[in-house]
Amino acid sequence: MPATILDGTKIASDIRAELAAEVKSMTAAGARPGLAVILVGENPASEIYVRGKVKSCEELGIYSEKITPPTTITTLELCQMVEGLNRRDEIDGILVQLPLPDQVDAKKVLMTVHPTKDVDGFHPMNVGYLSTQRPGLVPCTPAGAMEVLRRSGIAVAGKESVVVGRSDIVGKPAAMLLLNANATVTVCHSKTHDLAAVCRRADILVAAIGRAGMITRDFVKPGATVLDVGINKVTERAEFEKFFAGNKKREEKFAAKGSTLVGDVHPEVAEIAGAITPVPGGLGPLTIAMLMSNTVKAARMRRGSPVTV
Ligand code: GUN
């Protein structure tokens, strides 16, 4: 039986509707949430992401500000810019879009974002809160993955879960969230021996590697839930054929656009998984929805309103 497709677009839209109502009541009470996004230089992919973030703020009634310093900015100048935003009361969330230019010390800049305004959840203080199960701001993509599980009624407690990828942005926080939800967690990476065998143990498999279609059928236990974090652009015809040969809809799109998006999970996995997030339309839409959620959460926390973990 083919996998249940976990519809991230629908889940993200439900979250946005809930947030819009919350933003409306906060705004009526004189506490409109505000997000500042810093986009350094001219990275086309980052520009697209940031446009999506600003547009989502507009749709929800969140105040937003886009700041676009030149690519020559220094670490000190960027830190001063962040400090200015830390001091402004109408700004609840600060997001510094990554990657930053080579001359900038990204870790230093991310440390400068005040932990209460750190809507990316990258500050070591928030990382510590997450690992000790205290309320804080959680990185958006893994938080979105957990929302998909929760809203799809997929139980986590006691389940074998395997996270492939150990990045600070996705893999590590995903592992921590699953652990906090009482899963048994294994984290795999490029040095893991017999990756396929380890992945086959998973009831819940999280793929966050950044390599198109790497997780093939032989990595997946039949019936497992597969969460695909990867967003990889495929432009070569031969590579396209490896994933979508015979898929008419994709063929048409690829012919028209000259590219298509593939996750870290090979599409053939949908034939044996129990449930799977598609690419596109899976975890991608959740990331922005969770950024909006974090902005509202940051606004509430800073004003002393209670929030749950
Ligand atoms: N670049 C790619 N993903 C992210 C993210 O989640 N946050 C930030 N700030 N930059 C990114």
Side-chain angles (χ1 to χ4, degrees):
M1 207 171 66
T4 300
I5 303 299
L6 301 168
D7 185 349
T9 307
K10 164 78 171 66
I11 296 171
S13 148
D14 291 347
I15 293 170
R16 279 200 304 272
E18 292 161 19
L19 289 171
E22 202 169 344
V23 170
K24 200 170 168 192
S25 79
M26 290 170 82
T27 304
R32 183 185 186 191
L35 174 69
V37 181
I38 300 179
L39 170 62
V40 179
E42 282 154 31
N43 177 322
S46 292
E47 279 171 15
I48 293 170
Y49 290 142
V50 167
R51 207 175 308 144
K53 290 168 186 179
V54 170
K55 183 164 162 262
S56 191
C57 283
E58 282 163 7
E59 284 165 6
L60 295 189
I62 294 174
Y63 170 76
S64 72
E65 211 168 282
K66 184 171 93 170
I67 304 157
T68 54
T71 191
T72 51
I73 195 165
T74 64
T75 303
L76 178 65
E77 287 166 334
L78 201 46
C79 287
Q80 285 168 343
M81 192 174 273
V82 169
E83 276 161 1
L85 294 167
N86 283 342
R87 285 191 291 269
R88 282 175 56 193
D89 192 50
E90 73 278 26
I91 299 296
D92 297 290
I94 302 168
L95 183 140
V96 183
Q97 185 68 28
L98 302 175
L100 289 169
D102 288 347
Q103 82 278 6
V104 173
D105 183 343
K107 287 208 159 139
K108 200 165 185 176
V109 174
L110 297 180
M111 278 278 273
T112 309
V113 176
H114 195 280
T116 59
K117 297 192 177 188
D118 171 35
V119 284
D120 258 329
F122 293 165
H123 192 287
M125 185 91 89
N126 281 313
V127 177
Y129 286 154
L130 176 60
S131 80
T132 53
Q133 291 188 272
R134 291 177 164 92
L137 295 163
V138 176
C140 302
T141 302
M146 296 305 288
E147 276 301 306
V148 167
L149 293 173
R150 195 171 70 79
R151 290 175 187 250
S152 308
I154 297 168
V156 177
K159 295 289 176 66
E160 282 284 345
S161 63
V162 174
V163 179
V164 191
R166 55 175 157 182
S167 70
D168 292 340
I169 297 181
V170 182
K172 281 189 221 167
M176 200 53 78
L177 285 165
L178 287 162
L179 184 60
N180 288 349
N182 298 314
T184 300
V185 183
T186 304
V187 184
C188 302
H189 45 78
S190 54
K191 301 283 191 292
T192 298
H193 291 171
D194 201 351
L195 181 63
V198 180
C199 289
R200 272 198 306 273
R201 296 208 302 253
D203 300 309
I204 297 170
L205 180 62
V206 180
I209 316 139
R211 278 184 57 190
M214 200 189 104
I215 302 296
T216 49
R217 172 195 291 272
D218 49 321
F219 287 63
V220 179
K221 174 160 82 177
T225 296
V226 180
L227 302 175
D228 190 353
V229 178
I231 301 177
N232 309 289
K233 197 169 174 175
V234 167
T235 52
E236 297 291 320
R237 180 89 219 168
E239 207 185 2
F240 174 85
E241 296 279 340
K242 272 199 318 202
F243 301 123
F244 299 114
N247 181 331
K248 267 223 163 103
K249 247 178 152 174
R250 285 273 187 164
E251 282 277 0
E252 280 166 19
K253 277 199 175 153
F254 185 72
K257 275 188 76 178
S259 69
T260 194
L261 294 180
V262 187
D264 291 348
V265 178
H266 195 295
E268 71 182 14
V269 169
E271 292 160 25
I272 63 157
I276 189 165
T277 57
V279 175
L283 295 179
L286 262 300
T287 298
I288 293 190
M290 296 317 289
L291 173 66
M292 300 298 108
S293 169
N294 272 352
T295 304
V296 170
K297 189 175 174 185
R300 295 179 69 88
M301 284 198 301
R302 217 160 48 83
R303 287 168 173 79
S305 309
V307 291
T308 50
V309 176

